[in-house]
Amino acid sequence: MERRLKVFVYEEGEVPIVHDGPCKDIYTTEGRFIHEMEHGNSGFRTSDPRRAALYFMPFSVAWMVKYLYKPLSYNLAPLTDFVSDYVRLVSTKHPFWNRTRGADHFMLSCHDWVRTYRI
């Protein structure tokens, strides 16, 4: 499977929200997955986006909530704006989003905040 399934990881974005995630709390799966895709020895990652079957957007929803959401404000606009801006960035810089309108792109979220994102 590692020979056939290839994942391209976008390099756009900055820490702490992109390319990082929690590794010592209940959302550890999110952080560990991002870390393994970014720094691990996975045979799944490719640096050639033309070889990829999937495209990973390595932003952390847990860190978006931590750094962008104001507790008890119920204002999700900063989170949805971040996702929209990230998609706009990769879709204008790279042709891969536009081939399938993002159907072969994914992000990882280990909690219910992700349900608020509709692109």
Side-chain angles (χ1 to χ4, degrees):
M1 181 186 247
E2 288 182 26
R3 281 183 262 148
R4 298 187 68 174
L5 179 65
K6 295 297 178 187
V7 178
F8 178 76
V9 180
Y10 284 107
E11 295 181 5
E12 286 71 22
E14 297 178 12
V15 172
I17 297 174
V18 185
H19 309 291
D20 190 29
C23 290
K24 295 182 181 179
D25 66 14
I26 62 172
Y27 306 121
T28 295
T29 304
E30 182 180 293
R32 292 300 311 155
F33 185 84
I34 291 170
H35 181 81
E36 287 300 318
M37 288 304 296
E38 296 269 357
H39 308 289
N41 293 325
S42 168
F44 294 106
R45 184 172 182 179
T46 180
S47 59
D48 181 357
R50 294 171 301 220
R51 292 187 57 220
L54 298 170
Y55 299 84
F56 179 52
M57 298 179 292
F59 54 81
S60 167
V61 176
W63 281 174
M64 286 172 50
V65 172
K66 179 178 180 177
Y67 294 110
L68 301 177
Y69 179 71
K70 183 178 178 184
L72 302 176
S73 71
Y74 305 102
N75 180 9
L76 301 178
L79 285 69
T80 56
D81 290 349
F82 178 86
V83 174
S84 295
D85 289 346
Y86 194 85
V87 168
R88 190 175 305 107
L89 174 65
V90 299
S91 68
T92 56
K93 189 173 179 182
H94 303 280
F96 314 109
W97 179 276
N98 302 312
R99 288 189 315 197
T100 62
R101 298 184 65 198
D104 51 3
H105 285 61
F106 72 102
M107 41 113 11
L108 180 70
S109 175
C110 298
H111 41 82
D112 58 356
W113 282 90
V114 76
R115 67 177 176 73
T116 65
Y117 307 118
R118 290 186 180 91
I119 299 171

